[in-house]
Amino acid sequence: MSGTSENNIVKEVSAVWSRLFDHRPFLQGEINFFVKEFEEKRGEREVEKLFEILEKSTEIRDSQIDKVKHSSETTLPELQEILNQSNQLSDQVINARIAYDPVSVLLLRS
């Protein structure tokens, strides 16, 4: 009989130990709940962001592209002319610097 009572004691101690110290089932349930909640909330935010991006890209396609095209057609030729003038002035400064001879200037002052 002592074998049976020892088995019962071992089983009961094991059951008490499992209830007190084995948190795996509880933790697994909490982790699964957290993951489920996180994925649902994240999924909703991502869908909302995708719709916002779609709206903005549609708006840009419908209205902004024509504005940019018209603006560039009127502004870019003026910008090209200004850049050409700046390039010419830069070339003049470079040529003047190349032609400058400091020794001859000093000799003329003496």
Side-chain angles (χ1 to χ4, degrees):
M1 274 206 191
S2 67
T4 307
S5 64
E6 287 177 6
N7 282 341
N8 287 340
I9 292 173
V10 169
K11 286 180 184 178
E12 291 197 25
V13 168
S14 177
V16 169
W17 185 88
S18 292
R19 284 190 297 230
L20 291 176
F21 300 110
D22 189 9
H23 303 295
R24 285 180 288 178
F26 172 76
L27 289 176
Q28 190 64 38
E30 289 297 311
I31 290 170
N32 288 338
F33 176 76
F34 175 79
V35 168
K36 179 182 172 191
E37 289 290 314
F38 179 77
E39 287 177 347
E40 286 176 1
K41 290 179 182 177
R42 186 177 129 219
E44 291 172 4
R45 281 195 314 255
E46 288 178 357
V47 169
E48 290 173 5
K49 292 292 183 187
L50 286 173
F51 278 123
E52 288 176 16
I53 291 170
L54 178 63
E55 288 175 2
K56 288 180 182 180
S57 62
T58 302
E59 178 185 336
I60 290 170
R61 183 192 69 209
D62 293 342
S63 64
Q64 300 299 321
I65 291 177
D66 291 336
K67 286 181 183 178
V68 169
K69 185 178 176 185
H70 176 71
S71 176
S72 64
E73 287 174 350
T74 59
T75 308
L76 287 178
E78 295 172 12
L79 180 63
Q80 182 65 41
E81 183 59 34
I82 292 170
L83 289 173
N84 287 338
Q85 290 174 359
S86 299
N87 196 19
Q88 288 174 353
L89 289 174
S90 297
D91 287 342
Q92 289 175 0
V93 169
I94 289 172
N95 289 335
R97 175 66 182 115
I98 291 171
Y100 176 70
D101 184 18
V103 174
S104 63
V105 172
L106 291 174
L107 291 176
L108 290 176
R109 287 190 178 187
S110 315

